[in-house]
Amino acid sequence: MMIKEIIVVEGRDDTAKIRQAVEADTIETNGSAIDNIILKQIQHAKAKRGVIIFTDPDYPGERIRQIIDNAVPGCKHAFLTRDNARAKQSNKSLGIEHASIAAIRKSLQDVYELKNHEDSEITREDLITYGLIGSPKASYRRERLGELLQIGHTNGKQLLKRLTMFQISKAQFEKSINQVLREENNAK
């Protein structure tokens, strides 16, 4: 599988793992202290070939994603679930370098492009109705919904924003959240 866009990752281990999964070029941020030189490289890469931001599913990874997206709008985004990014030996370490080849390929096939689209069919009331905020199972439901929609894990405040940014339709949302609820009922 060959990727035309340049993939932005956090470090060398991520680059090595991605190159095992696909044929691609990468830019490494070397952590969350992204300097202007790296941002200029990303800007140039976006203009020439396009960019896919593919960071770890943790707080530093989200911070890097936001910094890049603010400095270089219009990048595509790929997400790994926390389970797919968890180290097999240690339950604490999360990162692209721990993911399987299949999980990386799937994430890179399901990329999203952010749009400046303010309106969404999905409302905060929908999130409350489906127990995605303000309920005891909200965190689990948001995590599972993020997996199904390939938009990453979010907290309650971020969820509606991310659904809107990635232009998730109400039909896609309802299909996925209903699957989450069915899975919960089947687990009882």
Side-chain angles (χ1 to χ4, degrees):
M1 180 176 167
M2 189 170 169
I3 306 292
K4 174 189 84 121
E5 296 90 350
I6 295 174
I7 302 172
V8 177
V9 295
E10 293 178 49
R12 287 181 310 199
D13 293 339
D14 298 333
T15 291
K17 190 65 177 212
I18 283 175
R19 288 189 177 152
Q20 290 174 16
V22 297
E23 227 180 287
D25 294 317
T26 62
I27 294 174
E28 297 165 4
T29 65
N30 299 313
S32 59
I34 303 172
D35 60 26
N36 283 332
I37 294 168
I38 297 288
L39 289 173
K40 284 184 180 171
Q41 287 177 355
I42 294 169
Q43 211 164 29
H44 182 74
K46 183 184 171 288
K48 294 292 182 187
R49 292 177 41 195
V51 166
I52 298 172
I53 302 170
F54 196 23
T55 56
D56 297 344
D58 56 11
Y59 176 78
E62 275 302 308
R63 185 173 181 277
I64 292 166
R65 188 180 295 278
Q66 289 174 354
I67 289 168
I68 295 168
D69 196 55
N70 287 336
V72 187
C75 293
K76 295 178 181 178
H77 293 260
F79 295 93
L80 269 177
T81 66
R82 289 174 172 264
D83 284 341
N84 285 336
R86 198 170 312 280
K88 304 300 179 235
Q89 300 82 9
S90 162
N91 232 6
K92 294 181 181 173
S93 183
L94 282 177
I96 290 171
E97 72 271 17
H98 303 302
S100 70
I101 302 301
I104 289 171
R105 287 179 179 159
K106 172 91 171 98
S107 295
L108 290 170
Q109 287 173 341
D110 295 335
V111 296
Y112 283 96
E113 189 171 347
L114 292 183
K115 304 282 187 193
N116 288 336
H117 191 266
E118 297 299 319
D119 297 328
S120 175
E121 303 170 294
I122 305 162
T123 65
R124 182 172 163 74
E125 288 72 33
D126 292 324
L127 304 185
I128 293 168
T129 299
Y130 286 108
L132 292 162
I133 49 178
S135 83
K137 296 181 180 179
S139 181
Y140 166 78
R141 288 178 182 170
R142 286 191 307 273
E143 185 168 350
R144 185 68 185 116
L145 183 69
E147 290 173 12
L148 293 171
L149 293 172
Q150 291 284 307
I151 61 169
H153 180 69
T154 61
N155 64 30
K157 289 182 179 181
Q158 294 172 330
L159 180 58
L160 187 58
K161 181 179 179 186
R162 189 148 310 159
L163 291 167
T164 302
M165 285 189 322
F166 291 117
Q167 296 182 323
I168 303 297
S169 70
K170 189 147 187 176
Q172 287 174 291
F173 168 76
E174 287 177 341
K175 179 181 176 192
S176 296
I177 190 60
N178 284 326
Q179 180 177 338
V180 171
L181 297 174
R182 275 193 308 280
E183 289 171 2
E184 274 183 23
N185 286 333
N186 291 339
K188 289 181 183 178

